[in-house]
Amino acid sequence: MSTLLGLECHLCHTRFPADALFVCDRCFGPLEPVYDYDRARATLTRDALAGRPKNLWRYRELLPITDAPRTGLHSGFTPLVKADHLAHRLGVRELYVKDDSVNHPTLSYKDRVVSVAATRAMELGFTVFGCASTGNLANSVSAHAARLGLSCYVFIPDDLEPAKVLGSQVYDPQVVAIRGTYDDVNRLCTQVADKHHWGFANINLRSYYAEGAKTVGFEIAEQLGWRFPQHVVSPVAGGTLLPRIARGFRECRYLGLAEGEIPKIYAAQADGCAPVVRALHDGLDHPDPVRPATIAKSIAIGNPADGFQVLETVRETGGWGATATDPEILDGIQLLAETEGIFTEPAGGTTVAATRRLIEEGRIARDESIVICITGNGYKTSELMLDRMAQPVHLSRALRDFDAWLEERESARCEVRAPRAVSGTRDRGKVSSKTSPEALFPKA
Ligand SMILES: *Cc1c(COP(=O)(O)O)cnc(C)c1O
């Protein structure tokens, strides 16, 4: 009862069988699954969805597997958080955070794409599962392979954050650390996949992997009550996620689940690795590859596989792109944490900072609805924030010491604040929640 009909070239529309194929042998375009949409429409209804488990397989009719899901039974359907405090600080009216920093089981958006790729790898008979990764993908591939009992090889650049590497090692895959950039790792993995016939989530299984990312679009629409926001900001690394969010929205509309205009979609990249945003700003048809130099390692891909599709989607929807410097990325992490209680990694800090820039530049209107995609978890890269943290106060266990310290602190605060006596103001020179957005970010 599968709806999966086969694969089709995104560019020349040649049809292929649903095998481990990822590039068109006629025009080298990327391949994407095609479905029997009439059949999907019959069962994938709002009513049916209301009764399904809250994981990404609830949209199963539009996911490229032929049998039952094997993994990812708790992946996806992450919170869509109404972010009123962050909205206030950015000076906008309606803002949501799509929070994949708490995705199951490895705390990033990659658990979606890997659930689909791993299930399809099993269906296609692969016994070795692997990936080329900047960290999060390796974590997710390792965890899903462990559950499925698949042999696992994950390839990473050899300069990743220690917690990101450990987040793979603990599941006992073979970690292969390559002296080189992600783009070097990817090139090697393409050769390994071909020579050894292993299933690589983001290489020869890429057509299936990418479909997992559509569920971000489905979920945003469903969680808003089958409505689209007006703007969506997504980080871009290899370029899987951003175009699939749009594909998800379009499929929702095609199946009659939601109606209305497709949101404008914006690309967020680090200043030190922004091939896609530069191409948008310079009006190029294809991104020019760059050599990454940024703390945002999980999105440091200098030659994005789906860069063309990102440009196409941003342009078709009327979006734009913005970058963030390393200090702005750390500010973005801090801002999201202190306003919404969400601790993200540099990819998320990049998205927050780029959103701020797009708002300040007037690209995103302040009175329209915005969703920002937070794709990774800050506990994996916490050492980056160490220098910026206020130190804990060290005291004895005696109450009188605590009280003495508290009294001293309060009198110090009174001296600083005396002339204004504003309530609701927090420490470290932060602004009052009563301050107007214009005061914070003057429109100069
Ligand atoms: C992989 C990743 C992305 C986006 O990657 P794409 O290849 O563009 O889909 C964004 N954020 C984090 C944290 C990631 O790990």
Side-chain angles (χ1 to χ4, degrees):
M1 244 297 294
S2 169
T3 50
L4 178 62
L5 298 178
L7 299 175
E8 186 180 291
C9 175
H10 180 74
L11 301 179
C12 75
H13 304 288
T14 305
R15 283 284 183 102
F16 297 87
D19 297 333
L21 302 171
F22 62 110
V23 61
C24 176
D25 59 15
R26 293 206 189 160
C27 75
F28 299 105
L31 304 185
E32 53 200 17
V34 251
Y35 303 92
D36 182 341
Y37 284 110
D38 289 333
R39 199 160 177 177
R41 195 178 285 111
T43 53
L44 193 65
T45 62
R46 288 189 192 187
D47 281 351
L49 278 164
R52 293 186 183 182
K54 293 197 156 66
N55 64 53
L56 62 91
W57 296 112
R58 63 201 274 104
Y59 312 107
R60 151 107 196 259
E61 287 90 335
L62 296 179
L63 293 171
I65 61 169
T66 50
D67 216 330
R70 310 285 182 103
T71 183
L73 301 177
H74 303 277
S75 302
F77 221 83
T78 55
L80 183 73
V81 177
K82 183 132 197 293
D84 289 341
H85 291 116
L86 180 59
H88 186 82
R89 290 281 287 271
L90 297 179
V92 296
R93 193 173 56 82
E94 189 181 354
L95 180 71
Y96 305 84
V97 171
K98 180 58 174 161
D99 187 11
D100 269 11
S101 77
V102 293
N103 209 349
H104 184 275
T106 64
L107 308 175
S108 87
Y109 124 78
K110 296 301 194 309
D111 288 323
R112 301 173 180 278
V113 283
V114 172
S115 300
V116 177
T119 294
R120 191 65 185 147
M122 298 285 280
E123 291 182 347
L124 293 173
F126 287 104
T127 53
V128 180
F129 189 44
C131 64
S133 172
T134 54
N136 284 317
L137 178 57
N139 295 172
S140 188
V141 161
S142 303
H144 285 84
R147 265 187 73 85
L148 293 168
L150 288 167
S151 173
C152 183
Y153 286 74
V154 297
F155 293 69
I156 53 174
D158 68 355
D159 67 342
L160 293 188
E161 304 90 341
K164 279 254 174 78
V165 182
L166 190 133
S168 295
Q169 288 167 308
V170 72
Y171 305 108
D172 200 26
Q174 178 60 57
V175 179
V176 185
I178 302 296
R179 278 187 302 276
T181 64
Y182 170 83
D183 300 285
D184 300 320
V185 175
N186 190 280
R187 198 172 312 112
L188 171 65
C189 287
T190 307
Q191 295 168 320
V192 174
D194 195 44
K195 174 155 186 213
H196 297 280
H197 306 286
W198 293 352
F200 276 73
N202 57 333
I203 297 181
N204 51 350
L205 294 165
R206 190 173 181 84
S207 314
Y208 306 102
Y209 161 96
E211 289 291 278
K214 280 189 322 197
T215 57
V216 174
F218 296 152
E219 289 174 18
I220 290 171
E222 182 171 2
Q223 289 170 317
L224 287 174
W226 293 116
R227 178 171 77 81
F228 297 129
Q230 286 160 291
H231 309 273
V232 176
V233 186
S234 166
V236 173
T240 302
L241 176 60
L242 186 149
R244 273 61 185 207
I245 295 173
R247 185 164 151 95
F249 289 145
R250 290 188 179 118
E251 286 184 343
C252 276
R253 204 163 64 171
Y254 191 62
L255 258 60
L257 290 167
E259 45 199 65
E261 214 174 313
I262 300 297
K264 296 184 167 75
I265 307 192
Y266 303 80
Q269 293 197 298
D271 210 42
C273 183
V276 161
V277 174
R278 305 251 182 278
L280 286 167
H281 291 183
D282 297 346
L284 309 180
D285 285 340
H286 290 271
D288 274 340
V290 302
R291 194 175 175 85
T294 169
I295 56 166
K297 295 185 191 223
S298 61
I299 52 170
I301 296 185
N303 188 12
D306 283 342
F308 173 77
Q309 290 196 67
V310 175
L311 296 179
E312 189 182 51
T313 302
V314 169
R315 286 171 178 149
E316 278 170 6
T317 62
W320 190 237
T323 63
T325 63
D326 286 354
E328 288 168 344
I329 290 169
L330 297 177
D331 290 345
I333 294 175
Q334 180 71 52
L335 180 63
L336 183 64
E338 68 188 31
T339 51
E340 299 300 335
I342 295 170
F343 184 18
T344 187
E345 62 147 279
T350 303
T351 305
V352 171
T355 303
R356 171 186 265 191
R357 174 154 296 154
L358 290 161
I359 294 164
E360 285 171 9
E361 289 175 350
R363 293 271 171 185
I364 295 180
R366 291 177 186 270
D367 60 349
E368 297 185 345
S369 53
I370 309 164
V371 173
I372 68 174
C373 298
I374 295 301
T375 46
N377 193 298
Y379 290 106
K380 295 188 189 184
T381 55
S382 52
E383 68 275 6
L384 288 173
M385 300 302 284
L386 271 178
D387 291 349
R388 308 183 137 227
M389 296 297 103
Q391 292 307 307
V393 57
H394 293 270
L395 296 173
S396 81
R397 61 187 176 175
L399 176 62
R400 66 171 183 281
D401 280 358
F402 175 77
D403 282 343
W405 168 78
L406 190 63
E407 199 171 309
E408 195 177 306
R409 172 182 148 106
E410 306 231 296
S411 63
R413 287 174 64 171
C414 284
E415 277 162 34
V416 175
R417 297 266 166 67
R420 289 202 302 165
V422 177
S423 68
T425 304
R426 291 206 280 156
D427 252 350
R428 286 190 280 141
K430 262 167 234 152
V431 281
S432 152
S433 58
K434 291 186 181 125
T435 310
S436 77
E438 283 69 26
L440 277 178
F441 303 114
K443 285 186 187 125

